Amino acid sequence: MEQFGREYARLCAAVGAAPQEAVLRRLREPNGARGRLDLAAQSLSLQTCSALGRLLPGAAPFAALALGDCGLSEEGVRLLLHGLCSNTTVKSLDLKGNNLRTMGAEALGKLLRENKSIRSLTLEWNSLGMWEEGFSFFCQGLRANNFLRRLDLRNNQINHQGAEELAMALTQNTSLQELDLRWNNIGLLGGRALLNCLHSNKTLKRLELAGNNVPGDILKAVEQALNHNQDREAILSEAQNQMNILSKEVLSLKDEKNKQFMDFVDAVDKHKEEKARSEKMSVARISQLQDALDEQYSIMNSLKTKLQMTEAALALSEQKVHNLGELLNAMKQEQNCVAECHFRELQQQKQEGADREGRLLHDLSAASEKNLLLRNQVDELERKCKVQQDQLFQVKQDLTNTTAELKLRAVEAEERLETEKRRFKQSLEDMESLRVKEVDRMTQHMEASERSMHNRIQRLEAIRISLEEELSQVKAAALTERGQAEEELIKVRSQARLEEQQRLEHLKEKLRLMTESRDEAQNCCLKQKEMVAEAQAKAKQLSLYADGLRRRLDELQQDLDSKEEEKVTELNKVKVELQEQIGHLEAERAAQDGLREKIAALERQLKALSSNHREALLDKEGEISLLLEKLRMKEAEISRVREEEVQRASFLQNAIMAYVQGSPLGTHSSRK
């Protein structure tokens, strides 16, 4: 920020103008470190506007620029906004109270077309709507802008034609979310145009139209359309989140099934390799046996003497073969029993995993529903707070207007009394001079003086009567205004009740939509479960095919040693698979624990939000009670002022009567 200030001073010196000290002080303030340049209520010269406009293009060291109530000229506004057109860091711009007109509206339209960083624009207390051509250019810029989120156009003298231009711009704008049009001259036609544009605009969430003479039914329709936009965005975001979660789950399931299929293919390949090795070994042994038989045939004649010994050995070998066959059958039965036990355990584990998955999905859906209900309650309470704030603001305004009118009337009455006092004093002085001059002619013109005094007394009586009538009129007007204020309060309360009923109906509709989305999510879960069941059936088929291959391999195995080795390898494989399944189950358990922790964290966040909201509601109730107390104090002060005015009028009347009765002319007439 200091570098920015030095550049500003250098540019001012280059054009031969002294830099403004107020601007330099603001550039050196510590709030510049927070990304905000506040030049509000500073009278910026044309040279300062030119220098700032030359420094603003590109990246500035602040994200918010406040230029409210600066008394900017049309040329100064054009220079500043021309510099902001290519700025990339300013997110918020405040130009309220600068009386912007045709050239300012055109510069703002160009800014909205070219700038891509500004998200909030405040234009309160200007005159953009007085010239239709300039405001039309501004609306064209708003139509081409797709980055602005908030726009404040309060007190800009926008009529129904300007509102129609603004509605045409909103039909093509897809970024604006908040628009404030309070205290303009939109009227019935402008309100209808804005309501019609909301049928095609789905991004606008807030539209303020108070103080525009717009009928209540149009305001209610606008509020319903805005609520519909808010609900639509919430539903779309929730559906998108659910789709993302489901896609992630489907991808994880696909990866897991692909991994299982690849493991099964690897196991089949290993079995094939072992089968080929066993066939090679069996062929080699058959060849060896054939050679041994040939040798035995060649030496048959020489071994006739050992026939008995060989027969005994043969009987022993047959007995051993029979025993080994029994052992082999027993081992096969044990292997089948072990395989069946493992298969049952796998089925049970799969069933338990499916049940856990269903319970987790049910818990997640319940938590999401609770979260949505709490969010809806928070939104409803916030809207109620906003409505109450607007009502309090309206009541405050009415109270200030009535107090101002009463004060003005009291001041006028006091001024009238002062003028009457002066006139009476002047007339009394004239009478005194006449009395001094015409003492000698008192006896001759006594009747004429008595008539004149009677006439003056009648005039004073008429003036007193008129003053009393004015006081009674002021009192009656105050009473009528108070009655009107009470009637308006009653109307506001009834309207609030109607709005609450409409909101309840809207919440019911929203609940119905949420139930439909929940049913859709349940249907998606059922489809996923069917896919899982199909995958399990395929896995069963593959396991049956593997069992057939194992049986074939068992039939092809002839030697006991090779069978024992295959049995050992199969047991090792089963152990490895069981360990892998145990690892998968532990990973699933860890994932479930993580989900439970996330659910607990979300519940804690919801509790914190609810507590904060309760505190905010308590603060608002305290503010409302303070405002009511202030209102009571103002009413007491008004009544006190009225009593003082009555006392002053009575004192004045008594003083006039006393003065009239105590004057020399009055005494003389009374004596006569």
Side-chain angles (χ1 to χ4, degrees):
M1 190 65 81
E2 293 180 358
Q3 181 67 27
F4 195 80
R6 287 195 293 271
E7 290 292 328
Y8 163 69
R10 183 182 64 78
L11 289 175
C12 289
V15 297
Q20 291 182 262
E21 293 296 329
V23 177
L24 287 175
R25 283 197 303 272
R26 292 297 175 88
L27 289 173
R28 292 168 184 166
E29 283 180 356
N31 62 354
R34 296 194 294 269
R36 178 179 173 81
L37 177 59
D38 191 359
L39 298 176
Q42 301 294 330
S43 297
L44 301 182
S45 62
L46 186 61
Q47 291 81 7
T48 298
C49 293
S50 177
L52 291 175
R54 293 172 64 185
L55 289 173
L56 285 173
F62 47 83
L65 179 59
L67 298 172
D69 301 320
C70 290
L72 299 175
S73 62
E74 294 285 330
E75 184 65 23
V77 170
R78 187 184 65 80
L79 292 172
L80 281 170
L81 296 181
H82 179 71
L84 281 171
C85 286
S86 56
N87 185 276
T88 58
T89 57
V90 175
K91 306 292 184 185
S92 176
L93 178 61
D94 187 357
L95 288 171
K96 68 177 180 180
N98 284 295
N99 198 18
L100 301 180
R101 299 189 179 185
T102 306
M103 191 178 293
E106 292 178 357
L108 285 169
K110 183 180 178 183
L111 174 70
L112 290 175
R113 280 198 306 272
E114 297 181 4
N115 187 278
K116 298 182 180 179
S117 63
I118 293 178
R119 300 293 184 268
S120 176
L121 181 59
T122 302
L123 299 173
E124 182 183 0
W125 287 104
N126 287 291
S127 301
L128 296 176
M130 289 182 66
W131 284 269
E132 296 179 1
E133 295 180 357
F135 193 71
S136 177
F137 199 80
F138 172 78
C139 292
Q140 290 176 8
L142 180 63
R143 183 185 305 155
N145 185 280
N146 288 320
F147 302 95
L148 190 66
R149 299 288 184 269
R150 179 181 175 275
L151 179 60
D152 189 351
L153 290 174
R154 288 179 288 176
N155 291 292
N156 271 274
Q157 301 182 19
I158 300 171
N159 55 13
H160 66 279
Q161 295 177 355
E164 290 174 356
E165 292 282 344
L166 195 60
M168 291 176 64
L170 289 175
T171 55
Q172 297 183 8
N173 185 282
T174 58
S175 64
L176 192 65
Q177 296 179 357
E178 296 182 10
L179 178 59
D180 198 342
L181 292 172
R182 288 180 287 180
W183 310 111
N184 286 293
N185 299 319
I186 292 174
L188 175 62
L189 298 177
R192 286 180 179 174
L194 291 171
L195 178 60
N196 292 328
C197 80
L198 290 176
H199 295 299
S200 58
N201 186 302
K202 302 300 181 184
T203 58
L204 193 64
K205 296 180 183 177
R206 182 183 175 190
L207 178 60
E208 298 290 342
L209 293 175
N212 282 284
N213 295 323
V214 179
D217 54 350
I218 294 178
L219 291 176
K220 291 179 182 178
V222 168
E223 186 178 0
Q224 289 178 359
L226 294 175
N227 292 332
H228 181 67
N229 288 343
Q230 293 175 2
D231 298 338
R232 179 176 176 274
E233 186 174 359
I235 291 168
L236 287 174
S237 62
E238 185 179 359
Q240 187 66 31
N241 292 329
Q242 290 180 356
M243 287 296 294
N244 293 329
I245 292 169
L246 292 174
S247 61
K248 288 179 181 178
E249 290 180 356
V250 170
L251 290 173
S252 63
L253 288 172
K254 285 183 179 179
D255 293 336
E256 186 176 357
K257 295 303 177 183
N258 290 328
K259 186 177 180 182
Q260 291 179 359
F261 182 71
M262 294 301 294
D263 293 337
F264 182 73
V265 170
D266 294 335
V268 171
D269 293 335
K270 288 180 181 179
H271 282 299
K272 286 181 179 179
E273 291 176 357
E274 290 176 358
K275 180 181 177 182
R277 285 198 299 271
S278 63
E279 286 178 354
K280 288 179 182 179
M281 291 173 67
S282 62
V283 169
R285 289 199 175 179
I286 288 169
S287 62
Q288 290 176 3
L289 290 172
Q290 189 67 35
D291 294 335
L293 286 173
D294 293 335
E295 289 177 359
Q296 286 178 3
Y297 280 121
S298 63
I299 61 172
M300 185 65 71
N301 294 322
S302 63
L303 292 176
K304 286 181 180 180
T305 55
K306 296 180 180 180
L307 181 58
Q308 294 177 355
M309 295 174 65
T310 54
E311 288 178 355
L314 182 60
L316 291 172
S317 63
E318 286 178 355
Q319 186 66 33
K320 287 181 179 180
V321 167
H322 181 70
N323 293 330
L324 289 173
E326 291 178 354
L327 288 171
L328 181 60
N329 292 324
M331 291 301 290
K332 284 182 179 180
Q333 291 177 358
E334 289 179 0
Q335 187 177 2
N336 291 327
C337 292
V338 169
E340 289 178 357
C341 292
H342 287 310
F343 183 72
R344 292 194 196 94
E345 289 177 357
L346 286 172
Q347 291 294 327
Q348 187 177 3
Q349 289 174 0
K350 287 180 181 178
Q351 186 66 29
E352 290 177 355
D355 295 337
R356 288 175 183 173
E357 184 179 0
R359 287 195 297 272
L360 285 173
L361 288 172
H362 181 68
D363 294 337
L364 283 173
S365 62
S368 63
E369 288 177 358
K370 288 181 181 178
N371 192 5
L372 287 172
L373 288 173
L374 290 172
R375 285 180 183 173
N376 291 328
Q377 291 177 1
V378 169
D379 293 336
E380 184 180 358
L381 291 172
E382 287 179 354
R383 285 196 288 271
K384 286 183 179 178
C385 289
K386 288 180 181 178
V387 171
Q388 290 177 359
Q389 288 177 359
D390 293 335
Q391 291 175 0
L392 286 173
F393 178 74
Q394 188 67 29
V395 171
K396 283 182 183 177
Q397 241 177 0
D398 295 337
L399 183 60
T400 52
N401 291 329
T402 53
T403 52
E405 288 178 0
L406 290 172
K407 286 180 180 179
L408 287 173
R409 290 178 181 177
V411 169
E412 288 176 358
E414 289 179 357
E415 288 178 355
R416 288 178 184 176
L417 290 172
E418 290 292 332
T419 53
E420 291 295 332
K421 284 180 181 180
R422 294 193 195 97
R423 192 168 64 185
F424 291 150
K425 285 181 181 179
Q426 188 66 32
S427 64
L428 289 171
E429 288 176 359
D430 295 337
M431 288 169 63
E432 191 68 27
S433 62
L434 289 170
R435 187 181 65 81
V436 172
K437 289 179 182 180
E438 297 181 356
V439 172
D440 297 333
R441 292 179 293 176
M442 184 68 70
T443 57
Q444 298 176 1
H445 301 283
M446 186 64 70
E447 294 177 356
S449 63
E450 285 178 355
R451 292 191 191 95
S452 63
M453 286 300 295
H454 281 297
N455 292 328
R456 286 179 183 175
I457 288 168
Q458 289 176 359
R459 289 175 188 172
L460 290 172
E461 287 291 332
I463 291 168
R464 182 179 63 79
I465 291 166
S466 64
L467 288 173
E468 287 178 354
E469 288 176 355
E470 286 180 357
L471 284 173
S472 63
Q473 288 176 1
V474 169
K475 289 179 182 179
L479 290 173
T480 54
E481 286 175 355
R482 185 173 181 180
Q484 288 177 0
E486 290 176 353
E487 289 177 357
E488 287 177 356
L489 282 173
I490 293 167
K491 289 179 181 178
V492 167
R493 287 173 182 171
S494 63
Q495 188 176 3
R497 289 173 184 171
L498 291 174
E499 288 175 354
E500 286 179 356
Q501 291 177 0
Q502 291 177 358
R503 284 174 184 162
L504 287 172
E505 293 176 356
H506 184 64
L507 287 173
K508 289 179 182 178
E509 184 67 18
K510 193 184 287 185
L511 181 62
R512 186 180 62 77
L513 293 172
M514 293 302 299
T515 52
E516 291 177 357
S517 62
R518 185 191 65 188
D519 294 334
E520 291 177 357
Q522 288 179 356
N523 292 326
C524 292
C525 291
L526 290 173
K527 290 180 181 179
Q528 287 184 355
K529 287 180 180 179
E530 290 176 359
M531 291 172 64
V532 170
E534 290 176 359
Q536 289 178 357
K538 290 181 181 179
K540 287 180 182 179
Q541 291 177 359
L542 292 172
S543 62
L544 292 172
Y545 182 70
D547 292 332
L549 291 174
R550 287 173 186 172
R551 285 194 294 273
R552 288 180 185 178
L553 290 172
D554 292 332
E555 288 174 359
L556 292 171
Q557 290 174 356
Q558 294 178 1
D559 294 332
L560 182 62
D561 296 332
S562 62
K563 288 179 181 179
E564 289 177 355
E565 290 175 358
E566 287 175 358
K567 182 180 178 182
V568 171
T569 54
E570 284 177 358
L571 288 172
N572 291 327
K573 286 180 183 178
V574 169
K575 288 179 181 179
V576 170
E577 287 177 356
L578 287 172
Q579 289 177 358
E580 288 178 356
Q581 290 177 358
I582 290 167
H584 287 305
L585 292 172
E586 288 178 353
E588 289 179 357
R589 186 181 296 169
Q592 291 174 3
D593 293 333
L595 288 172
R596 288 173 183 170
E597 290 176 358
K598 288 181 181 178
I599 291 167
L602 288 171
E603 289 178 352
R604 288 194 295 272
Q605 290 179 0
L606 288 172
K607 288 179 181 178
L609 287 171
S610 62
S611 63
N612 293 329
H613 188 66
R614 290 193 193 95
E615 292 176 357
L617 285 175
L618 291 173
D619 294 335
K620 293 294 181 184
E621 289 176 356
E623 290 177 1
I624 290 167
S625 62
L626 288 173
L627 289 171
L628 291 172
E629 187 65 25
K630 288 181 181 179
L631 183 62
R632 293 193 202 95
M633 291 173 68
K634 290 290 182 183
E635 289 178 354
E637 187 176 359
I638 290 167
S639 63
R640 184 175 58 78
V641 169
R642 289 174 182 169
E643 291 174 358
E644 288 178 359
E645 288 177 357
V646 172
Q647 289 177 1
R648 286 179 184 175
S650 64
F651 289 156
L652 180 61
Q653 183 180 359
N654 294 328
I656 291 168
M657 295 299 294
Y659 185 83
V660 170
Q661 291 177 1
S663 63
L665 295 175
T667 55
H668 187 75
S669 63
S670 64
R671 286 174 186 174
K672 185 176 179 180

